[in-house]
Amino acid sequence: MSKNGIYTPLDFKNVDFNVSIDEVGVGDRLARIKSRSIKKASKVEATLMAINMIDLTTLEGMDSPAKVRQLCSKAMRPHEEYENIPSTAAVCVYPNYVALAKKELKGSGVNVAAVSTAFPSGNAPMSIKIEDTKFAVDAGADEIDMVISRGKFLCGEYNFVFDEIAKIKEVCGKAHLKVILETGELETLDKVRLASDIAMEAGADFIKTSTGKIQPAATMPVTLVMLEAIREFYYRTGKMIGMKPAGGIKQHKDALKYLVMVKETLGEAWLNNKYFRFGASSLANELLMQLVKEYTGNYQAPEYFSID
Amino acid sequence: MSDRLNINKTYKLYIGGKFPRTESGRAYTIEDSKGNTLCHMSRASRKDFREAIVACQSAIKGWANRTAFNRSQILYRIAEMLEGRKAQFVDELISTGATKGSATKEVELSIDRLVYFAGWADKYTQVFGSVNPVATSHFNFSTPESMGLIAIMAPDEHPLLGLVSNLAPCIVGGNTCVILASEVNPFIAISFAEVLNSSDVPGGVVNILTGFKSELYKHFGTHMNVNAIICCADNKDQIINMQENAALNVKRFILRNKVNWMSDAGQDPYFIMDTQEIKTAWHPIGI
């Protein structure tokens, strides 16, 4: 909040540096969230919802046009055998492949997200980060996943990080901006909270845990802290910010626990792919296998699902 | 009489190289011939079976890619470990009602059978593979390759020998397996898991469950990850059900409920071939 108590958006002064996180409390809260039991019909519904929230991702040096095409076709029709299975929310690729993905996904309603700002390290001059983002936006990206400069952040140059995000947001134009905090490098939950607050104040539409290139990637404690930051930001400003845990969510059960966490922290308004995403690749097949298991009663094997 | 309390072993399951309890928290009691309680066993559930399959699946690639020579060494290593613990297994078999003579014979046969199959590791592909005459300018080979994931329902009688005789030909051929141990005397299978665990057998290659056939047979048939079923059980309805469900993903179904494990009929290179698939390659000549 600024000094006179009136909230002005996009102001570094709004960032509260004095929030500290109770790690034991986070653990206790999660223990309760993990104990929720989701079975049968609710399991099917939650699984369908989770599929619809996936940002199907390929971010490898060896990505090729064929791989991106394959990914797009999987995003639109995750599993041919059942017509009720929704498409994923988006595909997430390097800027080079945005134009191709955009063409492949035309008319399907699946968004194209591009990682940007010298992903995954973010160690490049600002001019290059802007160029990187512009390129992706011009190629038609609906969403930009930027990384913050963790080195600067850990040195305490918070205003640098704030300005960087604000600048990229400006370049994004209509494209949605997801800000990757790379929580695996932020060391403490306090810093995760601070980075979340900085990103939201600087204009992020989404905050995202990780690049997927660093271990640990998305974890439940980090996600809970970020969800709570979103909740408090909403109470303060009335603006709904999205959340995207990315990397490391591989099990069907874990995905459902994340949904419970969103529901119990932010409420049902956030339970759709406008405000919640999973950054994942292998999770999609895991969800599909569980879904088909519920439909047929038989445990499934990976060889009957498309390779990704 | 010492006033020391006995430290009795807790028999758990063997999944992915670890000894977890059943997720269901259930147990059942094993009695000796006089009706005294011998021990309590974990009663594996559908979910334990699924966990075992997951562990088994993740071990397939690494195990199949081992050299035949290395698999042979590991099987021989199991035999060495079992030899070192002979006395324990003889005692355990006696506690189930076997005579000392037959118990000793069963343990010794088990060790010898492991060595027998260890010897086959680098030979069966030569014996059962072939170079085929074809009309074009190609070398044409047919060789046996592992099927993948095998579910084994071990025989109730001869809890050690029956287990070993089914497990050894399965893993020597590069398969991984989930085994439902003898329902009558399951604890010997779990003691044998300790032998496996100290024999360089990678975790997940052999997974052993204890529990009721009547509870688990359906999942043997329906699980899409299982590539073949080896059944040493007698119940007709269960067999028919497994055979029918095997059609879901064209599992191979191998019935071994009439084999006399104590005789020479219990060791046969065709047991290896039961869980192998013949793959043929055409290789052009002169290019």
Side-chain angles (χ1 to χ4, degrees), chain A residues 59-95:
Chain A
L59 296 169
E60 302 295 332
M62 60 179 183
D63 284 348
S64 63
K67 168 89 207 239
V68 172
R69 267 187 217 112
Q70 190 266 346
L71 196 78
C72 291
S73 115
K74 177 148 186 164
M76 292 185 282
R77 290 173 300 276
H79 192 57
E80 301 257 343
E81 278 176 50
Y82 294 91
E83 282 185 5
N84 65 331
I85 297 178
S87 59
T88 68
V91 297
C92 183
V93 292
Y94 274 115

Side-chain angles (χ1 to χ4, degrees), chain B residues 60 64 124 144-148 170 173-176 275-277 279:
Chain B
I60 286 180
Y124 72 90
E145 283 184 19
S146 57
M147 292 187 76
C170 173
N175 299 294
T176 59
T275 49
Q276 297 287 309
E277 284 171 332
K279 300 272 171 82

